[in-house]
Coordinates of all heavy atoms in Angstrom, one line a residue:
M260 N 112.2 92.4 107.8 CA 111.6 91.3 107.0 C 111.3 90.1 107.9 O 111.7 90.1 109.0 CB 112.7 90.9 105.9 CG 113.0 92.0 104.9 SD 111.6 92.6 104.0 CE 111.3 91.1 103.0
G261 N 110.5 89.2 107.3 CA 110.2 88.0 108.0 C 109.1 88.3 109.1 O 109.0 87.6 110.1
S262 N 108.3 89.4 108.9 CA 107.3 89.7 109.9 C 106.2 88.6 109.8 O 106.0 87.9 108.9 CB 106.7 91.0 109.6 OG 105.7 91.0 108.6
I263 N 105.5 88.5 110.9 CA 104.5 87.5 111.0 C 103.4 87.8 110.0 O 102.7 86.9 109.6 CB 103.9 87.5 112.5 CG1 103.0 86.3 112.7 CG2 103.1 88.8 112.7 CD1 102.7 86.1 114.2
M264 N 103.2 89.0 109.5 CA 102.2 89.3 108.6 C 102.4 88.6 107.3 O 101.4 88.2 106.6 CB 102.2 90.8 108.3 CG 101.8 91.7 109.4 SD 100.1 91.4 110.0 CE 99.2 92.3 108.6
E265 N 103.6 88.3 106.9 CA 103.9 87.7 105.6 C 103.2 86.3 105.5 O 102.8 85.9 104.4 CB 105.4 87.6 105.4 CG 106.0 88.9 105.1 CD 107.5 88.9 105.0 OE1 108.0 87.8 104.9 OE2 108.1 90.0 105.0
K266 N 103.2 85.6 106.6 CA 102.6 84.2 106.4 C 101.1 84.2 106.3 O 100.5 83.2 106.0 CB 103.1 83.3 107.6 CG 102.4 83.6 108.9 CD 102.9 82.6 109.9 CE 102.4 82.9 111.3 NZ 102.9 81.9 112.3
Y267 N 100.5 85.4 106.6 CA 99.0 85.4 106.4 C 98.6 86.2 105.2 O 97.5 86.4 104.9 CB 98.4 86.2 107.6 CG 98.6 85.4 108.9 CD1 99.4 86.0 109.9 CD2 98.0 84.2 109.1 CE1 99.6 85.3 111.1 CE2 98.2 83.5 110.3 CZ 99.0 84.1 111.3 OH 99.2 83.4 112.5
S268 N 99.6 86.6 104.3 CA 99.3 87.4 103.2 C 98.6 86.6 102.1 O 98.2 87.2 101.1 CB 100.5 88.1 102.7 OG 101.4 87.2 102.2
G269 N 98.5 85.3 102.2 CA 97.9 84.5 101.1 C 96.5 84.2 101.3 O 95.9 83.5 100.5
V270 N 95.8 84.8 102.3 CA 94.4 84.5 102.6 C 93.5 85.3 101.6 O 93.9 86.3 101.1 CB 94.1 84.8 104.0 CG1 94.9 84.0 105.0 CG2 94.3 86.3 104.3
A271 N 92.3 84.7 101.5 CA 91.3 85.3 100.6 C 90.3 86.1 101.5 O 89.9 85.7 102.5 CB 90.5 84.3 99.8
C272 N 90.0 87.3 101.0 CA 89.0 88.2 101.6 C 87.6 87.5 101.5 O 87.2 87.1 100.5 CB 89.0 89.5 101.0 SG 87.7 90.6 101.6
C273 N 86.9 87.4 102.6 CA 85.6 86.8 102.6 C 84.5 87.6 101.9 O 83.4 87.2 101.7 CB 85.1 86.4 104.0 SG 84.8 87.8 105.1
F274 N 84.8 88.9 101.6 CA 83.9 89.7 100.9 C 84.1 89.8 99.4 O 83.2 89.6 98.7 CB 83.9 91.1 101.5 CG 83.4 91.2 103.0 CD1 84.3 91.5 104.0 CD2 82.1 90.9 103.3 CE1 84.0 91.5 105.3 CE2 81.7 91.0 104.6 CZ 82.6 91.3 105.6
C275 N 85.4 90.0 99.0 CA 85.6 90.2 97.6 C 86.4 89.0 97.0 O 86.5 88.9 95.8 CB 86.4 91.4 97.3 SG 88.2 91.4 97.9
K276 N 86.8 88.0 97.9 CA 87.5 86.8 97.5 C 88.9 87.1 96.9 O 89.6 86.1 96.6 CB 86.7 86.0 96.5 CG 87.1 84.5 96.5 CD 86.1 83.7 95.6 CE 86.5 82.3 95.4 NZ 87.6 82.1 94.5
N277 N 89.3 88.3 96.9 CA 90.7 88.6 96.4 C 91.7 88.3 97.5 O 91.4 88.3 98.7 CB 90.8 90.0 95.9 CG 90.0 90.3 94.7 OD1 89.9 89.4 93.8 ND2 89.5 91.5 94.6
N278 N 92.9 88.1 97.1 CA 94.0 87.9 98.1 C 94.2 89.2 98.9 O 94.0 90.3 98.4 CB 95.3 87.6 97.3 CG 96.5 87.3 98.2 OD1 97.1 88.3 98.6 ND2 96.7 86.1 98.5
V279 N 94.4 88.9 100.2 CA 94.6 90.1 101.1 C 96.1 90.2 101.3 O 96.8 89.4 102.0 CB 93.9 89.8 102.5 CG1 94.0 91.1 103.3 CG2 92.4 89.5 102.3
Q280 N 96.7 91.2 100.7 CA 98.1 91.5 100.9 C 98.4 92.1 102.3 O 97.5 92.8 102.9 CB 98.6 92.5 99.8 CG 98.4 92.0 98.4 CD 99.3 90.8 98.1 OE1 100.4 90.7 98.6 NE2 98.8 89.9 97.3
A281 N 99.6 91.9 102.8 CA 100.0 92.5 104.0 C 100.4 93.9 103.9 O 101.6 94.3 103.7 CB 101.1 91.7 104.6
T282 N 99.4 94.8 103.8 CA 99.6 96.2 103.7 C 98.7 97.0 104.7 O 97.6 96.6 104.9 CB 99.3 96.7 102.3 OG1 97.9 96.4 102.0 CG2 100.2 96.1 101.2
G283 N 99.2 98.1 105.2 CA 98.5 98.8 106.2 C 98.0 98.0 107.3 O 98.8 97.3 107.9
V284 N 96.7 98.0 107.6 CA 96.1 97.2 108.6 C 95.7 95.8 108.2 O 95.3 94.9 109.0 CB 94.9 97.9 109.3 CG1 95.3 99.2 110.0 CG2 93.8 98.1 108.3
D285 N 95.8 95.5 106.9 CA 95.4 94.2 106.3 C 96.6 93.2 106.5 O 97.7 93.6 106.5 CB 95.1 94.3 104.8 CG 93.8 95.0 104.6 OD1 93.0 95.0 105.5 OD2 93.6 95.6 103.5
P286 N 96.3 91.9 106.6 CA 95.0 91.3 106.5 C 94.3 91.5 107.9 O 94.9 91.5 108.9 CB 95.2 89.8 106.3 CG 96.7 89.6 106.3 CD 97.4 90.9 106.6
C287 N 93.0 91.6 107.9 CA 92.2 91.6 109.1 C 91.4 90.3 109.2 O 91.2 89.6 108.2 CB 91.1 92.8 109.0 SG 91.8 94.4 108.9
D288 N 91.0 90.0 110.4 CA 90.2 88.9 110.6 C 88.9 89.3 111.3 O 88.9 90.3 112.0 CB 90.8 87.7 111.3 CG 91.1 88.0 112.8 OD1 90.1 88.2 113.6 OD2 92.3 88.0 113.2
I289 N 87.8 88.7 110.9 CA 86.5 88.9 111.5 C 86.1 87.6 112.3 O 86.2 86.6 111.7 CB 85.4 89.2 110.5 CG1 85.8 90.4 109.6 CG2 84.1 89.4 111.1 CD1 84.8 90.5 108.5
S290 N 85.8 87.8 113.5 CA 85.4 86.6 114.2 C 83.9 86.7 114.6 O 83.4 87.8 114.9 CB 86.2 86.3 115.5 OG 86.0 87.3 116.4
I291 N 83.2 85.6 114.4 CA 81.8 85.6 114.7 C 81.6 84.7 115.9 O 81.9 83.5 115.8 CB 80.9 85.1 113.5 CG1 81.2 86.0 112.3 CG2 79.5 85.0 113.8 CD1 80.5 85.5 111.0
A292 N 81.0 85.2 116.9 CA 80.7 84.5 118.1 C 79.2 84.3 118.2 O 78.5 85.3 118.2 CB 81.3 85.1 119.3
T293 N 78.8 83.0 118.3 CA 77.4 82.8 118.5 C 76.9 82.9 119.9 O 77.7 82.7 120.8 CB 77.0 81.4 118.0 OG1 77.7 80.4 118.8 CG2 77.4 81.2 116.5
K294 N 75.7 83.2 120.1 CA 75.0 83.2 121.4 C 75.8 84.0 122.4 O 75.9 83.7 123.6 CB 74.9 81.8 121.9 CG 74.1 80.9 121.0 CD 74.0 79.5 121.6 CE 73.4 78.5 120.6 NZ 73.4 77.1 121.1
W295 N 76.4 85.2 122.0 CA 77.2 85.9 122.9 C 76.5 86.5 124.1 O 77.1 86.8 125.1 CB 77.9 87.1 122.1 CG 76.9 88.0 121.5 CD1 76.4 88.0 120.3 CD2 76.4 89.2 122.2 NE1 75.5 89.0 120.1 CE2 75.5 89.8 121.3 CE3 76.5 89.8 123.4 CZ2 74.8 90.9 121.6 CZ3 75.8 90.9 123.7 CH2 74.9 91.5 122.8
D296 N 75.2 86.5 124.0 CA 74.3 87.0 125.1 C 73.9 85.9 126.1 O 73.3 86.2 127.0 CB 73.1 87.7 124.5 CG 72.2 86.8 123.7 OD1 72.8 85.8 123.1 OD2 71.0 87.0 123.7
R297 N 74.4 84.7 125.7 CA 74.0 83.6 126.6 C 75.2 82.8 127.0 O 75.5 81.7 126.5 CB 73.0 82.6 125.9 CG 71.6 83.2 125.8 CD 70.8 82.6 124.6 NE 71.2 83.2 123.4 CZ 70.9 82.7 122.2 NH1 70.2 81.6 122.1 NH2 71.3 83.3 121.1
P298 N 76.0 83.3 127.9 CA 77.3 82.7 128.3 C 77.1 81.3 128.9 O 78.0 80.5 129.1 CB 77.9 83.7 129.3 CG 76.8 84.5 129.8 CD 75.8 84.6 128.6
D299 N 75.9 81.0 129.4 CA 75.6 79.7 130.0 C 75.5 78.6 129.0 O 75.5 77.4 129.3 CB 74.3 79.8 130.8 CG 73.1 80.3 130.0 OD1 73.3 81.2 129.3 OD2 72.0 79.7 130.2
Q300 N 75.3 79.0 127.7 CA 75.2 78.0 126.6 C 76.5 77.8 125.9 O 77.3 78.7 125.8 CB 74.1 78.4 125.6 CG 72.7 78.5 126.3 CD 71.6 78.8 125.2 OE1 71.9 78.7 124.0 NE2 70.5 79.1 125.7
K301 N 76.6 76.6 125.3 CA 77.8 76.3 124.5 C 77.9 77.3 123.3 O 77.0 77.3 122.5 CB 77.8 74.9 124.0 CG 79.1 74.5 123.3 CD 79.2 73.0 123.0 CE 80.5 72.6 122.3 NZ 81.6 72.8 123.2
R302 N 79.0 78.0 123.2 CA 79.1 78.9 122.1 C 80.1 78.5 121.1 O 81.0 77.7 121.4 CB 79.6 80.3 122.7 CG 78.5 80.9 123.5 CD 78.8 82.3 123.9 NE 79.8 82.4 125.0 CZ 80.3 83.5 125.5 NH1 79.9 84.6 125.0 NH2 81.1 83.5 126.5
R303 N 80.0 79.0 119.9 CA 80.9 78.6 118.8 C 81.4 79.9 118.2 O 80.7 80.9 118.1 CB 80.2 77.9 117.7 CG 79.5 76.6 118.1 CD 80.5 75.5 118.2 NE 79.8 74.2 118.4 CZ 80.5 73.1 118.7 NH1 81.8 73.1 118.8 NH2 79.8 72.0 119.0
D304 N 82.7 79.9 117.8 CA 83.3 81.0 117.1 C 83.8 80.6 115.8 O 84.2 79.5 115.6 CB 84.5 81.5 117.9 CG 84.1 82.0 119.3 OD1 83.0 82.4 119.5 OD2 85.0 82.0 120.2
Q305 N 83.8 81.5 114.8 CA 84.4 81.2 113.5 C 85.1 82.5 113.0 O 84.6 83.6 113.4 CB 83.3 80.8 112.5 CG 83.9 80.4 111.2 CD 82.8 79.7 110.3 OE1 81.6 79.8 110.6 NE2 83.3 79.1 109.2
L306 N 86.2 82.3 112.3 CA 87.0 83.4 111.9 C 87.1 83.5 110.4 O 87.2 82.4 109.7 CB 88.4 83.3 112.5 CG 89.4 84.3 112.3 CD1 90.3 84.4 113.5 CD2 90.2 84.0 111.0
F307 N 87.0 84.7 109.8 CA 87.2 84.9 108.4 C 88.2 86.0 108.2 O 88.4 86.9 109.1 CB 85.9 85.3 107.7 CG 84.8 84.3 107.8 CD1 83.9 84.3 108.8 CD2 84.7 83.3 106.8 CE1 82.9 83.3 108.8 CE2 83.8 82.4 106.8 CZ 82.8 82.3 107.8
W308 N 88.9 86.0 107.0 CA 89.8 87.0 106.7 C 89.1 88.1 105.8 O 88.2 87.8 105.1 CB 91.0 86.4 105.9 CG 91.7 85.4 106.7 CD1 91.6 84.1 106.6 CD2 92.7 85.7 107.7 NE1 92.5 83.5 107.5 CE2 93.1 84.4 108.2 CE3 93.3 86.8 108.3 CZ2 94.1 84.3 109.2 CZ3 94.2 86.7 109.3 CH2 94.6 85.4 109.7
C309 N 89.6 89.3 105.9 CA 89.1 90.3 105.0 C 90.0 91.5 104.8 O 91.0 91.6 105.6 CB 87.7 90.8 105.5 SG 87.8 91.8 107.0
H310 N 89.7 92.3 103.9 CA 90.3 93.6 103.8 C 89.6 94.6 104.7 O 88.3 94.5 104.8 CB 90.2 94.2 102.4 CG 90.9 93.4 101.3 ND1 90.2 92.6 100.4 CD2 92.2 93.4 101.0 CE1 91.1 92.1 99.6 NE2 92.3 92.5 99.9
A311 N 90.3 95.4 105.4 CA 89.6 96.4 106.3 C 88.6 97.2 105.5 O 87.5 97.5 105.9 CB 90.6 97.3 106.9
Q312 N 89.0 97.6 104.2 CA 88.1 98.4 103.4 C 86.9 97.7 103.0 O 85.8 98.3 103.0 CB 88.9 98.9 102.2 CG 88.1 100.0 101.4 CD 87.9 101.3 102.3 OE1 88.8 101.8 102.8 NE2 86.6 101.7 102.3
C313 N 87.0 96.4 102.7 CA 85.8 95.6 102.3 C 84.8 95.5 103.5 O 83.6 95.6 103.3 CB 86.2 94.2 101.9 SG 87.0 94.2 100.2
F314 N 85.3 95.4 104.6 CA 84.4 95.3 105.8 C 83.8 96.7 106.0 O 82.5 96.8 106.2 CB 85.3 95.0 107.1 CG 84.4 94.9 108.3 CD1 83.7 93.8 108.6 CD2 84.4 96.0 109.2 CE1 83.0 93.7 109.8 CE2 83.6 96.0 110.3 CZ 82.9 94.8 110.6
K315 N 84.5 97.7 105.9 CA 84.0 99.1 106.1 C 83.0 99.4 105.0 O 81.9 100.0 105.3 CB 85.1 100.1 106.1 CG 84.7 101.5 106.5 CD 85.9 102.4 106.6 CE 85.4 103.8 107.0 NZ 86.5 104.8 107.1
D316 N 83.2 99.0 103.8 CA 82.3 99.3 102.7 C 80.9 98.6 102.9 O 79.9 99.1 102.4 CB 82.9 98.7 101.4 CG 84.0 99.6 100.9 OD1 84.2 100.7 101.4 OD2 84.7 99.1 100.0
R317 N 80.9 97.6 103.7 CA 79.6 96.9 103.9 C 78.9 97.2 105.2 O 77.8 96.8 105.5 CB 79.9 95.4 103.9 CG 80.1 94.9 102.4 CD 80.8 93.6 102.4 NE 81.0 93.2 101.0 CZ 81.9 93.7 100.1 NH1 82.8 94.6 100.6 NH2 82.0 93.3 98.9
M318 N 79.6 98.1 106.0 CA 78.9 98.5 107.2 C 77.8 99.5 106.9 O 77.9 100.3 105.9 CB 79.9 99.2 108.1 CG 81.0 98.3 108.7 SD 82.1 99.2 109.8 CE 81.1 99.4 111.2
H319 N 76.8 99.6 107.7 CA 75.8 100.6 107.6 C 76.4 102.0 107.7 O 77.3 102.2 108.5 CB 74.7 100.4 108.7 CG 73.5 101.3 108.5 ND1 73.5 102.6 108.8 CD2 72.3 101.0 107.9 CE1 72.3 103.1 108.5 NE2 71.6 102.1 108.0
K320 N 75.9 102.9 106.9 CA 76.5 104.2 106.8 C 76.5 104.9 108.2 O 77.4 105.7 108.5 CB 75.8 105.1 105.7 CG 74.4 105.3 106.0 CD 73.8 106.2 104.9 CE 72.3 106.2 104.8 NZ 71.7 106.7 106.1
N321 N 75.5 104.6 109.0 CA 75.5 105.3 110.3 C 76.5 104.7 111.3 O 76.7 105.3 112.4 CB 74.1 105.1 110.9 CG 73.0 105.9 110.1 OD1 73.4 106.7 109.2 ND2 71.8 105.7 110.4
L322 N 77.0 103.5 111.0 CA 77.9 102.8 111.9 C 79.4 103.0 111.5 O 80.3 102.7 112.3 CB 77.6 101.4 112.1 CG 76.2 101.1 112.7 CD1 75.9 99.6 112.7 CD2 76.1 101.7 114.1
K323 N 79.6 103.4 110.2 CA 81.0 103.5 109.7 C 81.8 104.4 110.6 O 83.1 104.3 110.6 CB 81.0 103.9 108.3 CG 80.7 102.8 107.3 CD 80.8 103.3 105.9 CE 80.3 102.2 104.9 NZ 80.4 102.7 103.5
I324 N 81.2 105.4 111.2 CA 82.0 106.4 112.0 C 82.7 105.7 113.1 O 83.6 106.3 113.7 CB 81.1 107.5 112.5 CG1 79.9 107.0 113.4 CG2 80.5 108.3 111.4 CD1 79.2 108.0 114.1
H325 N 82.2 104.5 113.5 CA 82.9 103.8 114.6 C 84.0 102.9 114.2 O 84.7 102.3 115.0 CB 81.8 102.9 115.3 CG 80.7 103.7 115.9 ND1 80.8 104.6 116.9 CD2 79.4 103.7 115.5 CE1 79.7 105.2 117.2 NE2 78.8 104.6 116.4
F326 N 84.2 102.8 112.9 CA 85.3 102.0 112.3 C 86.6 102.9 112.3 O 86.6 103.8 111.5 CB 85.0 101.5 111.0 CG 86.0 100.4 110.5 CD1 85.8 99.1 110.7 CD2 87.1 100.8 109.7 CE1 86.7 98.2 110.3 CE2 88.0 99.9 109.3 CZ 87.8 98.6 109.5
W327 N 87.6 102.6 113.1 CA 88.7 103.5 113.2 C 90.0 102.8 112.8 O 91.1 103.4 112.8 CB 88.9 104.1 114.6 CG 88.7 103.1 115.6 CD1 87.6 102.8 116.3 CD2 89.7 102.2 116.2 NE1 87.8 101.7 117.2 CE2 89.1 101.4 117.1 CE3 91.1 102.0 115.9 CZ2 89.8 100.4 117.8 CZ3 91.8 101.1 116.6 CH2 91.2 100.3 117.6
L328 N 90.0 101.5 112.5 CA 91.2 100.7 112.3 C 92.0 101.3 111.1 O 93.2 101.2 111.0 CB 90.9 99.3 112.0 CG 90.4 98.5 113.3 CD1 90.0 97.1 112.8 CD2 91.5 98.4 114.3
D329 N 91.3 101.8 110.1 CA 91.9 102.2 108.8 C 92.7 103.5 109.0 O 93.4 103.9 108.1 CB 90.9 102.3 107.7 CG 89.7 103.1 108.0 OD1 89.5 103.4 109.2 OD2 89.0 103.5 107.0
I330 N 92.5 104.2 110.1 CA 93.3 105.4 110.3 C 94.5 105.2 111.1 O 95.3 106.1 111.3 CB 92.4 106.5 111.0 CG1 92.0 106.1 112.4 CG2 91.2 106.9 110.1 CD1 91.3 107.2 113.1
L331 N 94.8 103.9 111.5 CA 96.0 103.6 112.2 C 97.2 103.9 111.3 O 97.1 103.5 110.1 CB 96.0 102.2 112.7 CG 95.1 101.8 113.8 CD1 95.1 100.3 114.1 CD2 95.4 102.6 115.0
S332 N 98.2 104.3 111.8 CA 99.4 104.6 111.0 C 100.0 103.3 110.5 O 100.1 102.3 111.2 CB 100.5 105.3 111.9 OG 101.7 105.3 111.2
S333 N 100.6 103.3 109.3 CA 101.3 102.1 108.8 C 102.6 101.9 109.6 O 103.2 100.8 109.5 CB 101.6 102.2 107.3 OG 102.4 103.4 107.1
D334 N 103.0 102.8 110.4 CA 104.1 102.6 111.2 C 104.0 101.5 112.2 O 105.0 100.9 112.6 CB 104.4 103.9 112.1 CG 104.8 105.1 111.2 OD1 105.1 104.9 110.1 OD2 104.7 106.2 111.8
L335 N 102.7 101.1 112.5 CA 102.5 100.0 113.4 C 102.9 98.7 112.8 O 103.1 97.7 113.5 CB 101.0 99.9 113.7 CG 100.5 101.1 114.6 CD1 99.0 101.0 114.8 CD2 101.2 101.2 115.9
D336 N 103.0 98.6 111.5 CA 103.5 97.4 110.8 C 104.9 97.0 111.2 O 105.3 95.9 111.1 CB 103.5 97.6 109.3 CG 102.1 97.6 108.7 OD1 101.2 97.2 109.5 OD2 101.9 97.9 107.6
D337 N 105.7 98.0 111.7 CA 107.0 97.7 112.1 C 107.1 97.0 113.5 O 108.2 96.6 113.9 CB 107.8 99.0 112.2 CG 107.9 99.7 110.8 OD1 107.8 99.0 109.8 OD2 108.1 100.9 110.7
D338 N 106.0 97.0 114.2 CA 106.0 96.4 115.5 C 106.5 95.0 115.6 O 107.2 94.6 116.6 CB 104.6 96.5 116.2 CG 104.3 97.9 116.6 OD1 105.1 98.8 116.5 OD2 103.1 98.1 117.0
D339 N 106.2 94.2 114.6 CA 106.6 92.8 114.7 C 107.8 92.4 113.9 O 108.0 91.3 113.5 CB 105.4 91.9 114.3 CG 104.7 92.3 113.0 OD1 105.3 93.1 112.3 OD2 103.6 91.8 112.8
E340 N 108.6 93.4 113.6 CA 109.9 93.1 112.9 C 111.0 93.1 113.9 O 110.9 93.6 115.0 CB 110.1 94.1 111.8 CG 109.2 93.9 110.7 CD 109.5 94.9 109.5 OE1 110.5 95.6 109.6 OE2 108.7 94.9 108.6
Ligands
ZN445 ZN1 88.2 92.3 100.1

């Protein structure tokens, strides 16, 4: 108990706006980095929370095969206890 996941379980998914419970690989965060191809320019990053499944649902069908986070074992949740 008292895992670090618990304090993040109240966040809203940026796709469905529902609460993201600390289950499986959730909550996940998505970070968006601007101008990543231009390291000489000032870049900005922004982070959003989401369900892994919501993110996967919105990926192009040809790219979903590269999404592997959801097959991670829930045993990994025990790492921060
Ligand atoms: Zn969601």
Side-chain angles (χ1 to χ4, degrees):
M260 298 301 290
S262 79
I263 194 169
M264 294 296 285
E265 290 176 12
K266 75 177 175 182
Y267 297 115
S268 63
V270 298
C272 175
C273 69
F274 295 111
C275 73
K276 201 173 175 286
N277 291 325
N278 182 271
V279 185
Q280 298 295 325
T282 58
V284 295
D285 290 336
C287 296
D288 68 66
I289 301 173
S290 67
I291 300 174
T293 61
K294 305 177 186 177
W295 61 269
D296 60 331
R297 285 158 284 167
D299 55 317
Q300 296 185 13
K301 185 172 182 63
R302 294 190 279 178
R303 302 279 187 190
D304 298 335
Q305 188 170 9
L306 181 149
F307 294 94
W308 300 99
C309 72
H310 297 105
Q312 190 61 52
C313 286
F314 180 82
K315 188 175 182 179
D316 288 347
R317 284 158 180 81
M318 293 181 74
H319 189 278
K320 60 180 168 58
N321 292 352
L322 297 175
K323 282 183 185 182
I324 58 170
H325 301 294
F326 189 91
W327 48 265
L328 290 173
D329 55 342
I330 62 173
L331 291 176
S332 167
S333 61
D334 294 344
L335 294 176
D336 288 347
D337 297 333
D338 285 353
D339 48 12
E340 288 183 6

